[in-house]
């Protein structure tokens, strides 16, 4: 259901994107986004210096920044520390000519829709996880290695958005959602750039239909970007389908990610 909602939304978003970054510029940004994974795969420990990654002639940030200003959904741009930003960009090994590189280098991350979705950047006080450091030990062991996927964003209910590097399906460069209500990697059939525009302008309520409880905004405002809500009964269980009846508590996101992986492995083994 989620991928169908996104398919309908992206048709509208691409028109909006083209209005703010017209012609060749928009086309190049889309192409850069789609080749990010291949670019990362091809490094394989051949780390480019930071000066080759910072593109001053044709950076993506001014266009991404305009998308944020025009966004229908609430977007909070977290401040970036210049030292941490350079470190994160170097470890990520993508250029600032791409939207991903621009967000990693120019922001500490993005909080979408009152903090419901967190898009990873170079880390900040409210979201104290950088894009590359969060992926280390999950998507790869060492910086510069080829990766089957990259974790690009997550949400407060323990869902994770991943950019496919070839390990999730035959569509490298497309975004998947590791859903907490079924523990499946759901293909969304959108690129990183399209995912950003979904965050900025998409119908987030529809995407999370049945997964937002009464008073969620108040609860979300009380947790940090390093925490998520853990629910009992579990969202993927038959007993946990009514989220308003489930108990919930804030837990470290690392703990929830590992728990979701463990549950997925155990569930698959028992089928």
């Amino acid at each position: 259901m989620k991928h169908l909602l996104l398919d309908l939304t992206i048709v509208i978003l691409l028109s909006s994107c083209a209005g703010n970054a017209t012609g060749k510029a928009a086309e190049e940004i889309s192409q850069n986004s789609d080749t990010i994974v291949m670019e990362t795969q091809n490094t394989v420990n051949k780390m480019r210096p930071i000066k080759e990654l910072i593109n001053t002639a044709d950076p993506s940030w001014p266009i991404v920044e305009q998308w944020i200003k025009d966004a229908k959904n609430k977007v909070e741009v977290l401040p970036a520390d210049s030292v941490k930003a350079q470190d994160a960009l170097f470890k990520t090994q993508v250029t600032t000519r791409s939207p991903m590189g621009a967000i990693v280098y120019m922001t500490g991350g993005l909080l979408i829709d009152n903090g419901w979705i967190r898009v990873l950047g170079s880390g900040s006080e409210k979201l104290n996880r950088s894009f590359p450091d969060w992926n280390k030990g999950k998507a790869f062991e060492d910086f510069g290695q080829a990766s089957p996927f990259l974790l690009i964003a997550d949400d407060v209910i323990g869902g994770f958005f991943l950019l496919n590097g070839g390990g999730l399906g035959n569509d490298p460069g497309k975004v998947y959602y590791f859903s907490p209500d079924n523990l499946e990697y759901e293909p969304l059939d959108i690129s990183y750039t399209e995912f950003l525009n979904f965050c900025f302008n998409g119908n987030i309520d529809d995407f999370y239909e049945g997964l937002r409880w009464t008073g969620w905004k108040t609860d979300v405002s009380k947790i940090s970007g390093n925490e998520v809500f853990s629910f009992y009964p579990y969202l993927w269980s038959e007993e946990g389908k009514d989220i308003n009846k489930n108990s919930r508590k804030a837990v470290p996101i690392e703990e929830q990610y590992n728990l979701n992986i463990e549950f997925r492995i155990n569930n698959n083994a028992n089928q």
Side-chain angles (χ1 to χ4, degrees):
M1 184 56 142
K2 297 185 182 73
H3 70 278
L4 292 176
L5 292 170
L6 279 174
D7 286 344
L8 293 173
T9 302
I10 290 304
V11 173
I12 300 172
L13 295 181
L14 289 178
S15 299
S16 174
C17 168
N20 295 323
T22 58
K24 188 176 180 181
E27 181 181 353
E28 287 178 348
I29 284 181
S30 180
Q31 291 173 346
N32 286 338
S33 172
D34 291 341
T35 58
I36 284 172
V37 175
M38 296 307 297
E39 181 179 309
T40 305
Q41 287 178 330
N42 289 337
T43 60
V44 192
N45 291 323
K46 294 168 64 176
M47 305 284 279
R48 290 176 293 174
I50 189 69
K51 65 181 181 180
E52 292 183 14
L53 302 174
I54 300 175
N55 188 311
T56 58
D58 191 21
S60 279
W61 178 246
I63 296 174
V64 175
E65 188 176 33
Q66 188 61 50
W67 291 346
I68 293 172
K69 290 179 180 177
D70 295 337
K72 296 177 182 178
N73 298 326
K74 184 177 180 180
V75 181
E76 181 179 355
V77 180
L78 300 178
D81 175 89
S82 59
V83 174
K84 292 181 179 179
Q86 288 201 21
D87 177 68
L89 187 67
F90 174 71
K91 290 175 178 177
T92 305
Q93 286 291 292
V94 296
T95 73
T96 57
R97 192 167 181 261
S98 70
M100 178 186 288
I103 288 176
V104 168
Y105 186 61
M106 296 300 295
T107 82
L110 306 176
L111 300 182
I112 310 298
D113 200 16
N114 299 286
W116 183 274
I117 297 175
R118 306 87 168 255
V119 180
L120 297 175
S122 57
S124 190
E125 183 178 356
K126 287 186 176 181
L127 183 60
N128 193 22
R129 294 177 285 132
S130 76
F131 180 98
D133 289 339
W134 175 243
N135 275 279
K136 187 177 182 183
K138 302 176 184 69
F140 49 76
E141 292 302 319
D142 293 307
F143 300 116
Q145 285 184 333
S147 174
F149 62 84
L150 291 170
L151 291 155
I152 59 173
D154 40 70
D155 57 42
V156 297
I157 58 172
F160 298 88
F161 295 94
L162 307 90
L163 189 65
N164 183 24
L168 301 176
N170 296 322
D171 52 356
K174 297 296 187 178
V175 175
Y176 281 63
Y177 181 59
F178 185 24
S179 181
D181 63 345
N182 59 24
L183 301 179
E184 297 292 337
Y185 292 102
E186 301 180 351
L188 303 182
D189 196 30
I190 56 174
S191 67
Y192 181 84
T193 297
E194 292 167 334
F195 169 71
L196 289 180
N197 280 283
F198 163 72
C199 289
F200 300 159
N201 298 298
N203 193 327
I204 296 177
D205 280 332
D206 278 359
F207 184 81
Y208 287 101
E209 184 180 5
L211 293 173
R212 285 181 153 177
W213 60 97
T214 303
W216 67 265
K217 288 183 181 180
T218 300
D219 291 344
V220 170
S221 70
K222 297 176 182 178
I223 67 171
S224 78
N226 292 327
E227 296 177 305
V228 298
F229 287 103
S230 177
F231 298 88
Y232 191 81
Y234 302 116
L235 296 181
W236 49 264
S237 69
E238 287 297 326
E239 298 80 12
K241 296 307 180 184
D242 187 343
I243 199 164
N244 280 300
K245 294 181 179 180
N246 297 353
S247 65
R248 58 185 173 274
K249 65 176 181 177
V251 299
I253 191 170
E254 183 94 34
E255 176 183 316
Q256 191 63 48
Y257 178 80
N258 292 332
L259 188 63
N260 287 3
I261 295 292
E262 182 180 346
F263 279 142
R264 174 178 166 80
I265 293 172
N266 291 339
N267 287 353
N268 287 344
N270 292 330
Q271 288 180 358

